[in-house]
Coordinates of all heavy atoms in Angstrom, one line a residue:
M260 N 13.0 6.2 6.3 CA 12.5 5.8 5.0 C 13.3 6.4 3.9 O 13.7 7.6 4.0 CB 11.0 6.2 4.9 CG 10.4 5.8 3.6 SD 8.6 5.9 3.7 CE 8.3 7.1 2.4
K261 N 13.7 5.7 2.9 CA 14.3 6.2 1.7 C 13.3 6.9 0.9 O 12.2 6.4 0.8 CB 15.1 5.2 1.0 CG 16.2 4.6 1.8 CD 17.0 3.6 1.1 CE 18.1 3.2 2.0 NZ 18.9 2.3 2.0
T262 N 13.6 8.0 0.3 CA 12.6 8.8 -0.4 C 12.5 8.7 -1.9 O 13.5 8.7 -2.5 CB 12.8 10.3 0.0 OG1 12.8 10.5 1.4 CG2 11.7 11.2 -0.6
L263 N 11.3 8.5 -2.3 CA 11.0 8.5 -3.8 C 9.5 9.0 -3.9 O 8.7 8.5 -3.2 CB 11.1 7.1 -4.4 CG 10.5 7.0 -5.8 CD1 11.4 7.7 -6.8 CD2 10.3 5.5 -6.1
T264 N 9.3 10.0 -4.7 CA 8.0 10.5 -4.9 C 7.5 10.1 -6.2 O 8.2 10.4 -7.2 CB 8.0 12.1 -4.7 OG1 8.5 12.4 -3.4 CG2 6.6 12.6 -4.8
T265 N 6.3 9.6 -6.3 CA 5.7 9.2 -7.5 C 4.2 9.2 -7.3 O 3.7 9.3 -6.2 CB 6.1 7.8 -8.0 OG1 5.6 7.5 -9.3 CG2 5.7 6.7 -7.0
T266 N 3.4 9.2 -8.4 CA 2.0 9.3 -8.4 C 1.4 8.2 -9.2 O 1.9 7.9 -10.3 CB 1.5 10.6 -8.9 OG1 2.0 11.7 -8.1 CG2 0.0 10.7 -8.9
A267 N 0.4 7.5 -8.7 CA -0.3 6.4 -9.5 C -1.7 6.4 -9.0 O -2.0 6.7 -7.8 CB 0.4 5.1 -9.3
H268 N -2.6 6.2 -9.9 CA -4.0 6.1 -9.5 C -4.4 4.7 -9.1 O -4.1 3.8 -9.9 CB -4.9 6.6 -10.7 CG -4.8 8.1 -10.9 ND1 -5.6 9.0 -10.3 CD2 -3.9 8.8 -11.6 CE1 -5.3 10.2 -10.7 NE2 -4.2 10.1 -11.5
L269 N -5.1 4.6 -8.0 CA -5.7 3.3 -7.7 C -6.9 3.1 -8.5 O -7.7 4.0 -8.7 CB -6.0 3.2 -6.2 CG -4.9 3.2 -5.2 CD1 -5.4 3.2 -3.8 CD2 -4.0 2.0 -5.4
E270 N -7.1 1.9 -9.0 CA -8.3 1.6 -9.8 C -9.0 0.4 -9.1 O -8.4 -0.2 -8.2 CB -7.9 1.2 -11.3 CG -7.1 2.3 -12.0 CD -8.0 3.6 -12.3 OE1 -9.2 3.4 -12.3 OE2 -7.4 4.6 -12.5
T271 N -10.2 0.1 -9.6 CA -10.9 -1.0 -9.0 C -10.2 -2.3 -9.1 O -10.5 -3.2 -8.2 CB -12.4 -1.0 -9.5 OG1 -12.3 -1.2 -11.0 CG2 -13.2 0.2 -9.2
D272 N -9.4 -2.5 -10.1 CA -8.7 -3.8 -10.2 C -7.3 -3.8 -9.6 O -6.6 -4.7 -9.8 CB -8.6 -4.1 -11.7 CG -7.8 -3.2 -12.5 OD1 -7.5 -2.0 -12.0 OD2 -7.5 -3.5 -13.7
T273 N -7.0 -2.8 -8.8 CA -5.7 -2.8 -8.1 C -5.6 -3.9 -7.1 O -6.6 -4.1 -6.4 CB -5.5 -1.4 -7.4 OG1 -5.5 -0.4 -8.4 CG2 -4.2 -1.4 -6.7
T274 N -4.5 -4.6 -7.1 CA -4.4 -5.7 -6.2 C -3.3 -5.4 -5.2 O -2.4 -4.6 -5.4 CB -4.1 -7.0 -6.9 OG1 -2.9 -6.9 -7.6 CG2 -5.2 -7.4 -7.9
S275 N -3.3 -6.1 -4.1 CA -2.2 -6.0 -3.1 C -1.8 -7.4 -2.7 O -2.7 -8.4 -2.7 CB -2.6 -5.2 -1.9 OG -3.8 -5.7 -1.3
R276 N -0.6 -7.6 -2.3 CA -0.1 -8.9 -1.9 C 1.0 -8.7 -0.9 O 1.9 -7.8 -1.0 CB 0.5 -9.6 -3.2 CG 1.2 -10.9 -3.0 CD 1.5 -11.5 -4.3 NE 2.1 -10.6 -5.3 CZ 3.1 -10.8 -6.0 NH1 3.8 -11.9 -5.8 NH2 3.6 -9.9 -6.9
V277 N 1.0 -9.6 0.1 CA 2.1 -9.6 1.1 C 2.9 -10.9 1.0 O 2.3 -12.0 0.8 CB 1.5 -9.5 2.5 CG1 2.6 -9.7 3.6 CG2 0.7 -8.2 2.8
S278 N 4.2 -10.7 0.9 CA 5.1 -11.9 0.9 C 6.1 -11.8 2.0 O 6.7 -10.8 2.3 CB 5.9 -11.9 -0.5 OG 5.0 -11.9 -1.6
L279 N 6.3 -12.9 2.6 CA 7.3 -13.0 3.7 C 8.6 -13.7 3.2 O 8.5 -14.7 2.6 CB 6.7 -13.9 4.9 CG 7.7 -14.3 6.0 CD1 8.1 -13.1 6.7 CD2 7.0 -15.3 6.9
F280 N 9.7 -13.0 3.5 CA 11.0 -13.5 3.2 C 11.7 -13.8 4.5 O 12.1 -12.8 5.2 CB 11.7 -12.5 2.3 CG 11.1 -12.3 1.0 CD1 10.1 -11.4 0.8 CD2 11.5 -13.1 -0.1 CE1 9.5 -11.2 -0.4 CE2 10.9 -12.9 -1.4 CZ 9.9 -12.0 -1.5
G281 N 11.7 -15.0 5.0 CA 12.2 -15.4 6.3 C 13.7 -15.1 6.4 O 14.4 -15.0 5.4
P282 N 14.1 -15.1 7.7 CA 15.5 -14.9 7.9 C 16.4 -16.0 7.3 O 16.0 -17.1 7.1 CB 15.6 -15.0 9.5 CG 14.2 -14.9 9.9 CD 13.3 -15.4 8.8
T283 N 17.6 -15.6 6.9 CA 18.6 -16.5 6.4 C 19.9 -16.3 7.3 O 19.9 -15.4 8.1 CB 18.9 -16.2 4.9 OG1 19.5 -14.9 4.8 CG2 17.7 -16.4 4.0
S284 N 20.9 -17.0 7.0 CA 22.1 -16.9 7.8 C 22.7 -15.5 7.8 O 23.3 -15.1 8.8 CB 23.2 -17.9 7.3 OG 23.5 -17.6 6.0
G285 N 22.6 -14.7 6.7 CA 23.1 -13.4 6.7 C 22.1 -12.2 6.7 O 22.5 -11.1 6.5
D286 N 20.9 -12.6 7.0 CA 19.8 -11.5 6.8 C 18.7 -11.8 7.9 O 18.4 -13.0 8.2 CB 19.2 -11.5 5.4 CG 18.2 -10.5 5.2 OD1 18.6 -9.3 5.3 OD2 17.1 -10.8 4.9
E287 N 18.1 -10.8 8.4 CA 17.1 -10.9 9.4 C 15.7 -11.2 8.8 O 14.7 -11.4 9.5 CB 17.0 -9.7 10.3 CG 16.7 -8.4 9.5 CD 16.9 -7.1 10.4 OE1 17.1 -7.3 11.6 OE2 16.8 -6.1 9.8
G288 N 15.6 -11.2 7.5 CA 14.3 -11.4 6.9 C 13.5 -10.0 6.7 O 13.9 -9.0 7.2
F289 N 12.5 -10.1 5.9 CA 11.6 -8.9 5.7 C 10.3 -9.3 5.1 O 10.1 -10.5 4.7 CB 12.3 -7.9 4.7 CG 12.6 -8.4 3.3 CD1 11.7 -8.2 2.3 CD2 13.8 -9.2 3.1 CE1 12.0 -8.7 1.0 CE2 14.0 -9.7 1.8 CZ 13.1 -9.4 0.8
V290 N 9.4 -8.4 5.0 CA 8.1 -8.5 4.4 C 8.0 -7.6 3.3 O 8.4 -6.4 3.4 CB 7.0 -8.3 5.5 CG1 5.6 -8.2 4.8 CG2 7.0 -9.3 6.6
S291 N 7.4 -8.0 2.2 CA 7.2 -7.2 1.0 C 5.7 -7.0 0.9 O 4.9 -7.9 0.9 CB 7.7 -7.9 -0.3 OG 7.3 -7.2 -1.4
L292 N 5.3 -5.7 0.8 CA 3.9 -5.4 0.6 C 3.8 -4.8 -0.8 O 4.4 -3.7 -1.1 CB 3.4 -4.4 1.6 CG 2.0 -3.7 1.3 CD1 0.9 -4.7 1.2 CD2 1.7 -2.7 2.4
R293 N 3.1 -5.5 -1.7 CA 3.1 -5.0 -3.1 C 1.7 -4.5 -3.5 O 0.7 -5.2 -3.1 CB 3.4 -6.1 -4.1 CG 4.9 -6.5 -4.0 CD 5.2 -7.7 -4.9 NE 6.5 -8.2 -4.6 CZ 7.5 -8.1 -5.5 NH1 7.3 -7.6 -6.7 NH2 8.7 -8.5 -5.2
V294 N 1.6 -3.4 -4.2 CA 0.4 -2.9 -4.7 C 0.6 -2.8 -6.2 O 1.5 -2.2 -6.7 CB 0.1 -1.5 -4.1 CG1 -1.2 -0.9 -4.7 CG2 0.0 -1.5 -2.6
E295 N -0.3 -3.5 -6.9 CA -0.1 -3.7 -8.3 C -1.3 -3.2 -9.1 O -2.4 -3.5 -8.8 CB 0.2 -5.2 -8.7 CG 1.4 -5.7 -7.9 CD 1.5 -7.2 -8.1 OE1 1.2 -7.7 -9.2 OE2 2.0 -7.9 -7.2
G296 N -1.0 -2.5 -10.2 CA -2.0 -2.1 -11.2 C -1.6 -2.5 -12.6 O -0.6 -3.2 -12.8
E297 N -2.3 -2.0 -13.5 CA -2.0 -2.3 -14.9 C -0.6 -1.8 -15.4 O 0.1 -2.5 -16.1 CB -3.0 -1.7 -15.9 CG -2.9 -2.1 -17.3 CD -4.0 -1.6 -18.2 OE1 -5.0 -1.1 -17.7 OE2 -3.8 -1.8 -19.4
F298 N -0.2 -0.6 -14.9 CA 1.0 0.0 -15.4 C 2.1 0.2 -14.3 O 3.2 0.7 -14.6 CB 0.7 1.3 -16.1 CG -0.2 1.2 -17.3 CD1 -1.5 1.7 -17.2 CD2 0.3 0.6 -18.4 CE1 -2.3 1.6 -18.3 CE2 -0.6 0.5 -19.5 CZ -1.9 1.0 -19.5
V299 N 1.8 -0.1 -13.1 CA 2.7 0.2 -12.0 C 2.6 -0.9 -10.9 O 1.6 -1.5 -10.7 CB 2.4 1.6 -11.4 CG1 1.1 1.6 -10.7 CG2 3.6 2.1 -10.5
E300 N 3.8 -1.1 -10.3 CA 3.8 -1.9 -9.1 C 4.7 -1.2 -8.1 O 5.8 -0.8 -8.4 CB 4.5 -3.3 -9.5 CG 4.6 -4.2 -8.3 CD 5.2 -5.6 -8.6 OE1 4.8 -6.1 -9.6 OE2 6.0 -6.0 -7.8
L301 N 4.1 -1.1 -6.9 CA 4.8 -0.5 -5.8 C 5.1 -1.6 -4.8 O 4.2 -2.4 -4.4 CB 3.9 0.6 -5.1 CG 4.3 1.1 -3.8 CD1 5.6 1.9 -4.0 CD2 3.2 1.9 -3.2
S302 N 6.3 -1.7 -4.4 CA 6.7 -2.7 -3.4 C 7.3 -2.0 -2.2 O 8.3 -1.3 -2.4 CB 7.7 -3.7 -4.1 OG 8.0 -4.7 -3.1
L303 N 6.8 -2.2 -1.1 CA 7.3 -1.6 0.2 C 8.0 -2.8 0.9 O 7.4 -3.8 1.1 CB 6.2 -1.1 1.0 CG 5.4 0.1 0.4 CD1 4.3 0.5 1.4 CD2 6.3 1.3 0.2
I304 N 9.2 -2.6 1.3 CA 10.0 -3.6 2.0 C 10.1 -3.2 3.5 O 10.5 -2.0 3.8 CB 11.4 -3.7 1.4 CG1 11.4 -4.0 -0.1 CG2 12.2 -4.7 2.2 CD1 10.7 -5.2 -0.5
A305 N 9.6 -4.0 4.3 CA 9.6 -3.7 5.8 C 10.4 -4.8 6.5 O 10.2 -6.0 6.4 CB 8.2 -3.7 6.3
R306 N 11.4 -4.3 7.3 CA 12.3 -5.2 8.0 C 11.8 -5.2 9.5 O 11.0 -4.4 9.9 CB 13.7 -4.7 8.0 CG 14.3 -4.7 6.6 CD 15.8 -4.9 6.6 NE 16.3 -5.1 5.3 CZ 16.5 -6.2 4.7 NH1 16.2 -7.3 5.3 NH2 17.0 -6.3 3.5
P307 N 12.2 -6.2 10.3 CA 11.8 -6.3 11.7 C 12.1 -4.9 12.4 O 13.1 -4.3 12.1 CB 12.7 -7.4 12.2 CG 12.9 -8.3 11.1 CD 13.0 -7.4 9.9
G308 N 11.2 -4.5 13.2 CA 11.3 -3.2 13.9 C 10.5 -2.1 13.2 O 10.5 -1.0 13.7
T309 N 9.9 -2.4 12.0 CA 9.2 -1.3 11.3 C 7.7 -1.6 11.2 O 7.0 -0.9 10.5 CB 9.8 -1.2 9.8 OG1 9.6 -2.4 9.1 CG2 11.2 -0.8 9.8
A310 N 7.2 -2.5 12.0 CA 5.8 -2.8 12.0 C 4.9 -1.6 12.3 O 3.9 -1.4 11.8 CB 5.5 -3.9 13.0
D311 N 5.4 -0.7 13.2 CA 4.6 0.5 13.5 C 4.4 1.4 12.3 O 3.4 2.0 12.2 CB 5.2 1.2 14.7 CG 4.9 0.5 16.0 OD1 4.1 -0.3 16.1 OD2 5.6 0.9 17.0
A312 N 5.4 1.5 11.5 CA 5.3 2.3 10.3 C 4.2 1.7 9.3 O 3.4 2.4 8.7 CB 6.6 2.3 9.6
L313 N 4.2 0.3 9.2 CA 3.1 -0.3 8.4 C 1.8 -0.1 9.0 O 0.8 0.1 8.3 CB 3.4 -1.8 8.3 CG 4.4 -2.2 7.2 CD1 4.6 -3.7 7.2 CD2 4.0 -1.7 5.8
R314 N 1.7 -0.2 10.3 CA 0.4 0.1 11.0 C -0.1 1.5 10.8 O -1.3 1.8 10.5 CB 0.5 -0.2 12.5 CG 0.6 -1.7 12.8 CD 0.6 -1.9 14.3 NE 0.8 -3.3 14.5 CZ 2.0 -3.9 14.9 NH1 3.0 -3.1 15.1 NH2 2.1 -5.2 15.0
A315 N 0.8 2.5 10.8 CA 0.5 3.9 10.5 C 0.0 4.0 9.1 O -1.0 4.8 8.8 CB 1.7 4.8 10.8
L316 N 0.6 3.3 8.2 CA 0.2 3.4 6.8 C -1.2 2.8 6.6 O -2.0 3.3 5.9 CB 1.2 2.6 5.9 CG 0.9 2.5 4.4 CD1 0.8 3.8 3.7 CD2 1.9 1.6 3.7
A317 N -1.5 1.7 7.3 CA -2.8 1.1 7.3 C -3.8 2.0 7.8 O -4.9 2.1 7.3 CB -2.8 -0.3 8.1
R318 N -3.5 2.7 8.9 CA -4.5 3.7 9.5 C -4.8 4.8 8.5 O -5.9 5.2 8.3 CB -4.0 4.2 10.8 CG -4.1 3.3 12.0 CD -3.8 3.9 13.3 NE -2.5 4.5 13.4 CZ -1.4 3.7 13.8 NH1 -1.6 2.5 14.2 NH2 -0.2 4.3 13.9
A319 N -3.7 5.3 7.8 CA -3.9 6.4 6.9 C -4.7 5.9 5.7 O -5.6 6.6 5.2 CB -2.5 6.9 6.4
A320 N -4.5 4.6 5.3 CA -5.3 4.1 4.2 C -6.8 3.9 4.6 O -7.7 4.2 3.8 CB -4.8 2.7 3.7
E321 N -7.1 3.5 5.8 CA -8.4 3.4 6.3 C -9.1 4.8 6.3 O -10.2 5.0 6.0 CB -8.5 2.8 7.7 CG -8.3 1.3 7.7 CD -9.5 0.6 7.1 OE1 -10.6 1.2 7.1 OE2 -9.3 -0.5 6.6
E322 N -8.3 5.8 6.8 CA -8.8 7.2 6.8 C -9.1 7.7 5.4 O -10.2 8.3 5.2 CB -7.8 8.1 7.5 CG -8.2 9.5 7.6 CD -7.2 10.4 8.3 OE1 -6.3 9.9 9.0 OE2 -7.2 11.6 8.1
A323 N -8.3 7.4 4.4 CA -8.5 7.8 3.0 C -9.7 7.1 2.5 O -10.5 7.7 1.8 CB -7.3 7.5 2.2
A324 N -9.9 5.8 2.8 CA -11.1 5.1 2.3 C -12.4 5.7 2.9 O -13.4 5.8 2.2 CB -10.9 3.6 2.7
A325 N -12.3 6.0 4.2 CA -13.5 6.6 4.8 C -13.8 8.0 4.1 O -15.0 8.3 3.9 CB -13.3 6.8 6.3
A326 N -12.8 8.8 3.8 CA -13.0 10.0 3.1 C -13.7 9.8 1.7 O -14.6 10.5 1.4 CB -11.7 10.8 3.0
L327 N -13.2 8.8 1.0 CA -13.8 8.4 -0.3 C -15.3 8.0 -0.1 O -16.1 8.4 -0.9 CB -13.0 7.4 -1.0 CG -11.7 7.8 -1.5 CD1 -10.9 6.6 -2.1 CD2 -11.9 8.8 -2.6
D328 N -15.5 7.2 0.9 CA -16.9 6.8 1.2 C -17.8 8.1 1.4 O -18.9 8.1 0.9 CB -17.0 5.9 2.4 CG -16.4 4.5 2.1 OD1 -16.3 4.1 0.9 OD2 -16.1 3.8 3.1
Q329 N -17.3 9.0 2.2 CA -18.0 10.2 2.5 C -18.3 11.0 1.2 O -19.3 11.6 1.0 CB -17.3 11.1 3.5 CG -18.1 12.3 4.0 CD -19.4 11.8 4.7 OE1 -19.5 10.8 5.4 NE2 -20.4 12.6 4.4
I330 N -17.3 11.1 0.3 CA -17.4 11.8 -0.9 C -18.5 11.2 -1.8 O -19.3 11.8 -2.3 CB -16.1 11.9 -1.7 CG1 -15.1 12.8 -1.0 CG2 -16.3 12.3 -3.2 CD1 -13.7 12.7 -1.6
A331 N -18.5 9.9 -1.8 CA -19.5 9.1 -2.6 C -20.9 9.4 -2.1 O -21.8 9.4 -2.9 CB -19.1 7.6 -2.6
K332 N -21.0 9.5 -0.8 CA -22.4 9.8 -0.2 C -22.9 11.1 -0.5 O -24.1 11.4 -0.5 CB -22.3 9.6 1.3 CG -22.1 8.2 1.8 CD -22.1 8.2 3.3 CE -21.8 6.8 3.9 NZ -21.6 6.8 5.3
T333 N -22.0 12.1 -0.8 CA -22.4 13.5 -1.0 C -22.5 13.9 -2.4 O -22.9 15.0 -2.7 CB -21.4 14.4 -0.3 OG1 -20.1 14.3 -0.8 CG2 -21.4 14.2 1.2
T334 N -22.1 13.0 -3.4 CA -22.2 13.3 -4.8 C -23.5 12.8 -5.3 O -24.0 11.7 -4.9 CB -21.0 12.7 -5.6 OG1 -21.0 11.3 -5.4 CG2 -19.7 13.3 -5.2
P335 N -24.2 13.5 -6.2 CA -25.5 13.1 -6.7 C -25.5 11.7 -7.3 O -26.5 10.9 -7.1 CB -25.8 14.1 -7.8 CG -24.9 15.3 -7.5 CD -23.7 14.7 -6.8
D336 N -24.5 11.3 -8.0 CA -24.5 9.9 -8.7 C -23.8 8.9 -7.9 O -23.7 7.7 -8.3 CB -24.0 10.0 -10.1 CG -22.5 10.5 -10.1 OD1 -21.9 10.7 -9.0 OD2 -21.9 10.6 -11.2
G337 N -23.3 9.2 -6.7 CA -22.6 8.3 -5.8 C -21.3 7.9 -6.3 O -20.7 7.0 -5.8
D338 N -20.7 8.6 -7.3 CA -19.4 8.4 -7.8 C -18.6 9.6 -7.6 O -19.0 10.7 -7.9 CB -19.5 8.0 -9.3 CG -18.2 7.5 -9.8 OD1 -17.3 7.1 -9.1 OD2 -18.1 7.4 -11.1
A339 N -17.4 9.4 -7.1 CA -16.5 10.6 -6.8 C -16.0 11.2 -8.0 O -15.6 10.7 -9.0 CB -15.4 10.2 -5.9

């Protein structure tokens, strides 16, 4: 992975989108996973052979969501 560190807050109106860019004569194709908010757009480009990295990211996102659910259950107003 090429490295870039940045911070952005996910908000309730954050959207995500997957786009497939099929193979061409000089390229094997790729998938773009975009996460978009009001002020930032993150685009992850995944080429064939990197599906396991995306699956690991999905597992980490599920873990983070479960942690947020737990926080919401333990706060008096249900909001983290």
Side-chain angles (χ1 to χ4, degrees):
M260 181 164 120
K261 296 186 176 161
T262 302
L263 168 70
T264 302
T265 187
T266 301
H268 290 267
L269 292 177
E270 300 294 338
T271 56
D272 63 347
T273 300
T274 61
S275 57
R276 174 174 43 132
V277 174
S278 300
L279 170 63
F280 295 86
T283 63
S284 61
D286 184 60
E287 61 189 352
F289 62 95
V290 170
S291 169
L292 169 60
R293 292 176 186 249
V294 180
E295 302 173 32
E297 185 176 352
F298 299 110
V299 67
E300 179 179 318
L301 169 67
S302 183
L303 300 174
I304 305 300
R306 297 208 173 268
T309 62
D311 285 343
L313 280 179
R314 288 185 186 99
L316 177 62
R318 284 190 298 273
E321 282 291 336
E322 184 179 336
L327 286 174
D328 290 340
Q329 189 60 38
I330 290 170
K332 288 179 187 176
T333 59
T334 58
D336 60 2
D338 190 15

